[in-house]
C-alpha cells in the first residue's frame, strides 16, 4: 500500500499541482488526465499519478512497463495557449524539467535523447508521451505523460529491452525517494512552463541543448515514412531535429526514433 497523502501534498505550485490525483492503480494516467481535461471546468495543472498502470502507453504504440512500488508514472494536464503545430516545444520543456530535477536531486548525470527519452549512461530510464485535443489553431487540452524508472530492478523489465533500458537505482546502486523526486520534477515543470508562457522559448531550447546527448552524434532516425542517417546537427525553434546528410544537404524531422550510431 502506498502512502497516497505524500504524493498528494509534495508540491503545489501556482499552476502545476494545484490538485494532485493519486491512484493506487489505473489503466494509464494519460487516459485519466485526458478524461479529466474534457471537463472544461477542470483547470490546467492538475496532475494524475498512479503507483501502477495496467495499460501504460509508450510512444509509437508501445507498452510502458508499469509495475507497482518502484517507479513514477504521472501526467500533467495543460491548456497551453499555442497552436497545435507548436506542441513539440512542450515535449522539450518537459524533458528539460525532468532531467534538471534528476540531476539536481540525485546527482545522476541524466541526458535527453531527441525528442524526449531520458537516458542514463546511454540507456533509457524514462520517457514522455504527449497527447492532445486540438482545434485548428489552438490546443484545447494537452496531457504530458511522464514515466521514469526509479527503483525498478532489472528483472522487472521485459527481456527484449534489458540491454536498452535502465532505472536510476540500477545505475547508482542506491534507492531514490520517489515522492521527493516527484515533488522536484513538478517544481521544475512549473518553472519551465512559466518560462514558456513568458515567451522565452529560446531559453528552453538552449537548456535542452545543454542537457541533450544527441547533437553532434551520428544518428539513424526512423520516422513514420522513412529512415534517415546523418549527423544530428541542431534543433530548430519548433524542437525539430536537423540532420546533416552525407551529401551535405540537411533534412528536418519532427517525429521518429533515434538510434545513436556508435564509433
Ligand atoms: C516513451 O515511450 O518514451 C514514453 C513513455 C511515457 C510513459 C508515461 S507513464 C505515465 C503516462 N501514462 C502512460 O500511459 N504513459 C505515460
Amino acid at each position: 500500500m502506498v502512502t497516497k497523502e505524500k504524493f498528494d501534498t509534495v508540491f503545489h505550485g501556482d499552476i502545476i499541482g494545484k490538485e494532485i490525483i493519486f491512484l493506487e492503480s489505473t489503466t494509464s494516467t494519460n487516459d485519466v488526465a485526458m478524461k479529466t481535461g474534457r471537463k472544461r471546468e477542470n483547470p490546467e495543472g492538475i496532475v494524475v499519478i498512479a503507483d501502477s498502470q495496467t495499460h501504460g502507453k509508450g510512444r509509437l504504440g508501445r507498452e510502458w512497463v508499469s509495475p507497482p512500488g518502484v517507479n513514477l508514472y504521472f501526467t500533467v494536464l495543460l491548456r497551453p495557449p499555442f497552436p497545435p503545430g507548436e506542441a513539440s516545444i512542450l515535449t522539450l520543456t518537459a524533458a528539460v524539467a525532468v532531467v534538471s530535477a534528476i540531476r539536481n536531486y540525485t546527482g545522476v548525470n541524466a541526458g535527453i535523447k531527441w525528442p524526449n527519452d531520458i537516458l542514463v549512461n546511454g540507456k533509457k530510464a524514462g520517457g514522455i508521451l504527449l497527447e492532445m485535443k486540438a482545434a485548428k489553431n489552438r490546443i484545447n487540452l494537452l496531457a504530458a505523460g511522464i514515466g521514469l524508472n526509479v527503483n525498478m530492478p532489472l528483472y522487472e523489465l521485459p527481456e527484449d529491452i534489458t540491454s536498452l533500458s535502465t532505472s536510476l537505482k540500477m545505475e547508482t546502486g542506491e534507492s531514490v525517494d520517489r515522492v521527493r523526486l516527484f515533488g522536484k520534477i513538478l517544481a521544475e515543470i512549473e518553472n519551465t512552463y512559466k518560462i514558456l508562457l513568458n515567451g522565452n522559448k529560446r531559453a528552453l531550447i538552449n537548456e535542452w541543448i545543454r542537457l541533450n546527448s544527441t547533437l553532434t552524434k551520428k544518428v539513424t532516425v526512423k520516422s513514420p515514412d522513412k529512415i534517415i542517417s546523418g549527423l544530428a546537427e541542431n534543433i530548430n525553434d519548433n524542437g525539430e531535429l536537423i540532420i546533416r546528410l552525407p551529401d551535405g544537404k540537411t533534412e528536418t524531422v519532427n517525429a521518429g526514433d533515434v538510434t545513436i550510431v556508435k564509433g
Side-chain angles (χ1 to χ4, degrees):
M1 189 70 157
V2 177
T3 44
K4 107 183 187 42
E5 290 74 18
K6 290 191 190 164
F7 280 110
D8 282 4
T9 55
V10 68
F11 179 81
H12 295 301
D14 305 332
I15 306 174
I16 307 299
K18 267 180 278 183
E19 189 187 343
I20 298 177
I21 302 170
F22 174 84
L23 303 165
E24 197 75 39
S25 176
T26 189
T27 49
S28 153
T29 55
N30 268 30
D31 292 351
V32 179
M34 286 299 278
K35 204 169 157 195
T36 308
R38 279 198 193 97
K39 291 190 185 144
R40 289 192 161 269
E41 66 272 22
N42 283 333
E44 71 171 346
I46 293 177
V47 180
V48 182
I49 176 159
D51 185 47
S52 66
Q53 301 182 116
T54 53
H55 292 84
K57 298 186 285 186
R59 287 173 62 234
L60 309 170
R62 296 188 188 118
E63 182 200 356
W64 189 258
V65 180
S66 310
V70 282
N71 295 331
L72 287 172
Y73 321 107
F74 62 97
T75 302
V76 182
L77 167 65
L78 297 172
R79 300 191 189 279
F82 305 129
E86 290 180 25
S88 7
I89 189 70
L90 282 137
T91 312
L92 265 63
T93 302
V96 165
V98 175
V99 166
S100 303
I102 295 172
R103 286 191 179 196
N104 295 339
Y105 179 59
T106 69
V108 170
N109 194 24
I112 310 166
K113 188 179 82 167
W114 186 90
N116 55 3
D117 283 353
I118 315 292
L119 298 191
V120 180
N121 295 333
K123 291 184 179 182
K124 180 161 171 166
I128 296 163
L129 178 68
L130 287 198
E131 294 185 62
M132 66 175 169
K133 194 171 158 282
K136 221 187 203 160
N137 48 17
R138 67 169 286 142
I139 298 171
N140 292 322
L141 163 63
L142 186 136
I146 295 162
L148 185 62
N149 298 340
V150 182
N151 295 320
M152 184 157 70
L154 195 63
Y155 65 78
E156 299 252 30
L157 283 168
E159 244 171 56
D160 55 332
I161 56 169
T162 48
S163 62
L164 304 172
S165 299
T166 192
S167 67
L168 301 183
K169 186 176 176 182
M170 276 190 247
E171 296 306 311
T172 61
E174 284 178 23
S175 291
V176 177
D177 184 326
R178 278 190 301 162
V179 175
R180 293 190 65 188
L181 178 58
F182 173 59
K184 302 283 180 202
I185 296 173
L186 292 188
E188 284 291 349
I189 294 176
E190 166 100 358
N191 187 22
T192 51
Y193 190 53
K194 281 182 177 168
I195 293 174
L196 193 61
L197 293 180
N198 287 336
N200 207 348
K201 206 156 110 173
R202 196 65 237 174
L204 289 169
I205 292 180
N206 288 343
E207 195 53 8
W208 187 95
I209 290 172
R210 193 178 72 83
L211 299 171
N212 99 92
S213 53
T214 309
L215 299 185
T216 73
K217 307 262 169 63
K218 278 189 186 162
V219 295
T220 298
V221 187
K222 274 191 207 159
S223 63
D225 51 344
K226 56 187 166 197
I227 298 180
I228 307 165
S229 292
L231 184 76
E233 196 168 79
N234 210 345
I235 53 165
N236 64 20
D237 277 0
N238 290 328
E240 296 164 325
L241 184 66
I242 300 167
I243 314 268
R244 178 75 55 183
L245 305 175
D247 66 5
K249 291 185 183 142
T250 59
E251 180 108 31
T252 303
V253 281
N254 61 15
D257 246 357
V258 170
T259 309
I260 294 171
V261 182
K262 299 222 164 77

